[in-house]
């Protein structure tokens, strides 16, 4: 029960950090008009945390919890910045449809990767792996690689949107 409780506390701490960090990062990304660099930082931290899960020994459970926390916080905070890029790829009347298609494709891709991972974890010998522990390491590495590969199109094709002005249209016209 202690391990389950510790996992729960670590998850709650990661959620709390995300709740505080996400609005700050989102505001900074909007104000600096540099959403993509902030998103890239989140992707890189998340990928590093995920890779750390693959290469940290199982007995180093505090390190594993920290790696999980870093990956989770980066993923959740990155989603805030990612969502702010939606107006750069869709007109206002199509935001919901484009967002829904993006979620659908994301779930399809995630489902395919999950199916492959379940096969690896339940039948590691069939894939030339020694055991479930080796399969688990392969799974974490493939998640990190998946994350990077499916981030590349966004960074290459999505334009950096203009920051929203805090001024009213009348104040902007006066400038």
């Amino acid at each position: 029960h202690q391990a389950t409780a510790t996992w729960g506390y670590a998850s709650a701490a990661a959620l709390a950090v995300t709740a505080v960090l996400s609005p700050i990062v989102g505001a900074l990304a909007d104000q600096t008009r540099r959403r993509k660099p902030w998103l890239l930082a989140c992707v890189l931290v998340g990928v590093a945390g995920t890779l750390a899960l693959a290469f940290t020994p199982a007995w180093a459970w505090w390190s594993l919890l920290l790696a999980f926390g870093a990956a989770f916080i980066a993923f959740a905070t990155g989603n805030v910045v990612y969502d702010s890029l939606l107006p750069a790829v869709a007109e206002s009347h199509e935001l919901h449809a484009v967002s829904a298609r993006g979620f659908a494709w994301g779930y399809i891709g995630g489902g395919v990767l999950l199916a492959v991972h379940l096969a690896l974890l339940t039948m590691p010998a069939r894939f030339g792996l020694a055991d479930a522990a080796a399969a688990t390491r392969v799974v974490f590495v493939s998640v990190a690689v998946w994350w990077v590969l499916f981030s590349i199109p966004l960074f290459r094709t999505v334009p950096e949107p203009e920051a929203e002005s805090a001024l009213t249209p009348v104040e902007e016209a006066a400038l």
Side-chain angles (χ1 to χ4, degrees):
H1 297 291
Q2 183 63 34
T4 301
T6 304
W7 173 259
Y9 294 140
S11 296
L15 281 169
V17 170
T18 301
V20 171
L21 191 61
S22 291
I24 295 168
V25 170
L28 287 171
D30 287 345
Q31 286 180 342
T32 60
R33 298 181 184 175
R34 298 184 46 82
R35 291 172 180 95
K36 288 169 60 175
W38 283 98
L39 181 58
L40 179 61
C42 289
V43 167
L44 294 176
V45 169
V47 166
T50 304
L51 286 172
L53 290 170
F55 297 109
T56 302
W59 55 263
W61 59 274
W62 275 107
S63 297
L64 290 167
L65 286 177
L66 289 173
F68 161 77
F72 178 86
I73 292 165
F75 174 75
T77 303
N79 278 330
V80 171
V81 181
Y82 169 85
D83 288 345
S84 74
L85 291 170
L86 187 58
V89 297
E91 299 295 325
S92 61
H93 67 278
E94 56 186 8
L95 288 176
H96 294 297
V98 170
S99 178
R101 278 195 304 275
F103 267 93
W105 282 110
Y107 277 108
I108 290 169
V112 168
L113 189 60
L114 175 62
V116 170
H117 289 164
L118 289 174
L120 278 168
L121 291 169
T122 58
M123 303 176 288
R126 181 172 265 180
F127 297 95
L129 299 169
D131 54 20
T136 301
R137 295 185 188 291
V138 169
V139 164
F140 283 126
V141 170
S142 71
V143 167
V145 169
W146 189 270
W147 197 343
V148 168
L149 289 178
F150 282 93
S151 295
I152 291 171
L154 179 143
F155 291 111
R156 293 191 64 187
T157 62
V158 174
E160 185 74 55
E162 290 295 317
E164 293 182 25
S165 174
L167 302 175
T168 66
V170 173
E171 291 169 328
E172 282 186 11
L175 293 177

